[in-house]
Every structure is written in structure tokens, then in C-alpha cells.
Amino acid sequence: SKLYFNVSAYPVLQNDGRVSAVIITVKDVKRVRKHANDIIGRKAIYTFDKMAGVSPGFLDAISFAKRVADSNSTILITGESGTGKEIFAQSIHNYSNRKDEPFVVLNCGAIPRTLIESELFGYKEGAFTGARRGGQAGKFEIADGGTLFLDEIGEMPLDMQVRLLRVIEEGVVTRLGGHDYIPVDVRIIAATNK
């Protein structure tokens, strides 16, 4: 298992401008990412106790969702638009042992086909025209340790679903334009109205 760290070096200058020492700080990338997620709000807010209903089917769905919450299995939530699929996904996340980790959402129907791959897997600098300097982490890296909610998964192109399956099976992701395998521990919850 690989560990990733951010390393920063700060020179300590003497009065004449010469470097007398260097202070080096090492930060665990996972911890830095968790702090960033807290700041930008990548957290699930809904829980099962905020759901209200008396229908036997609804109560059975909540009971089943609670039973699978701590499983690492991928979950598919189906239902018509507006039925609360994301509320179920957030509640499952918050009922699981991943509740203190990121909850990252990607709406597969709202992103152009050409951008889904870079959104999911990230990219290296120079991977394509307009790629950010230094590259960018994808949703899998951002959700590491937590849950990735793929809304409207039925809108994802089939070739992308094949690549997604590979990430699920192997637990590693490769950024566009890159060759390094980045290990990720992500629980996937997907939803569709199809």
C-alpha cells in the first residue's frame, strides 16, 4: 500500500541573506484532502432519522439500506425523478463506517460526454488542450476513503462504464495522460430513473 505526502520546504535566512537552515513540513495527503473536503462542504447531510413515512415499502427500503450501509458493495438506487434517491445515498453514507469521510457527487447526466472521464479519473498536466497546470484530481481521488455518488448513471456512456468497472474491480485509478496507478478506497452508490 502506497502512502502519499505533500512536502514543503522553507529556507531560514540569516541577516546577510544566506540560508542557515531549511524547515521541511510533511503532510499526509489524505488528511489534507479531508480538511479541504470539510472546508468546501463535501459532506452528506441527510440521515435515516430525518426520513418520515409509514408505508411498508418505504420502511422496508430504509431497513434494507441500513443493513447494507457498512458493506463495501456497490449500490444501485432506482426510482423516478424527485423520489429522494440522493437522500437515501447520503443516509447510507452517514449510517456507514465511512460517515466521517468525503461524500462526493457526480451527476452523469449534467456533464458532457467528453468531460466525464476527466471528472471521474482526473488528468495530468498537458493531457489535453486546456488542461490545468499541474493536472487535477478526479472524483475517485477526492472521494478516497469515502463514498462516490454517481447520479443518473444511466446517462454515462457505455465505454465509460467499462472503465468504471475496472476501477471498481482493481481499486486503482489512472489519470488521463498518466501512467501511475493511484490506489483508491471508494464506496460507490449509483442512482438512475431508468
Side-chain angles (χ1 to χ4, degrees):
S1 171
K2 291 183 181 178
L3 299 174
Y4 292 87
F5 296 94
N6 285 335
V7 179
S8 303
Y10 304 96
V12 177
L13 304 176
Q14 293 181 350
N15 290 339
D16 61 3
R18 288 186 301 147
V19 176
S20 64
V22 176
I23 298 172
I24 297 175
T25 60
V26 179
K27 295 180 183 172
D28 180 357
V29 169
K30 208 173 213 181
R31 186 170 290 148
V32 170
R33 197 176 291 140
K34 183 180 181 326
H35 182 64
N37 287 330
D38 290 343
I39 292 170
I40 58 179
R42 285 197 173 97
K43 286 195 90 51
I45 57 171
Y46 292 104
T47 57
F48 288 118
D49 60 356
K50 292 182 181 175
M51 294 184 179
V54 293
S55 119
F58 180 71
L59 296 176
D60 286 346
I62 289 176
S63 175
F64 180 75
K66 285 179 176 180
R67 283 197 313 271
V68 299
D70 266 338
S71 153
N72 281 328
S73 298
T74 299
I75 293 176
L76 177 64
I77 301 171
T78 60
E80 294 177 25
S81 294
T83 55
K85 294 182 292 293
E86 184 171 351
I87 292 172
F88 258 89
Q90 287 190 23
S91 297
I92 290 168
H93 172 82
N94 278 330
Y95 202 77
S96 77
N97 55 9
R98 296 176 182 262
K99 66 180 174 241
D100 295 324
E101 299 297 333
F103 180 85
V104 178
V105 178
L106 178 67
N107 186 321
C108 302
I111 295 177
R113 176 188 176 97
T114 54
L115 294 180
I116 287 180
E117 192 170 19
S118 63
E119 281 291 320
L120 276 175
F121 309 118
Y123 57 83
K124 296 291 261 184
E125 182 175 337
F128 51 84
T129 304
R132 270 191 197 161
R133 190 172 195 193
Q136 181 171 314
K139 300 292 189 198
F140 271 100
E141 286 180 74
I142 294 168
D144 188 30
T147 302
L148 176 59
F149 177 56
L150 299 174
D151 200 7
E152 296 185 41
I153 189 77
E155 303 300 321
M156 181 180 283
L158 290 177
D159 58 322
M160 197 61 55
Q161 292 184 31
V162 171
R163 183 145 183 225
L164 180 64
L165 178 61
R166 188 167 178 163
V167 174
I168 293 168
E169 289 175 343
E170 297 176 3
V172 294
V173 68
T174 304
R175 289 185 181 185
L176 285 176
H179 303 290
D180 297 334
Y181 292 103
I182 302 165
V184 289
D185 172 23
V186 176
R187 201 273 179 85
I188 298 174
I189 300 178
T192 182
N193 59 9
K194 295 184 176 181

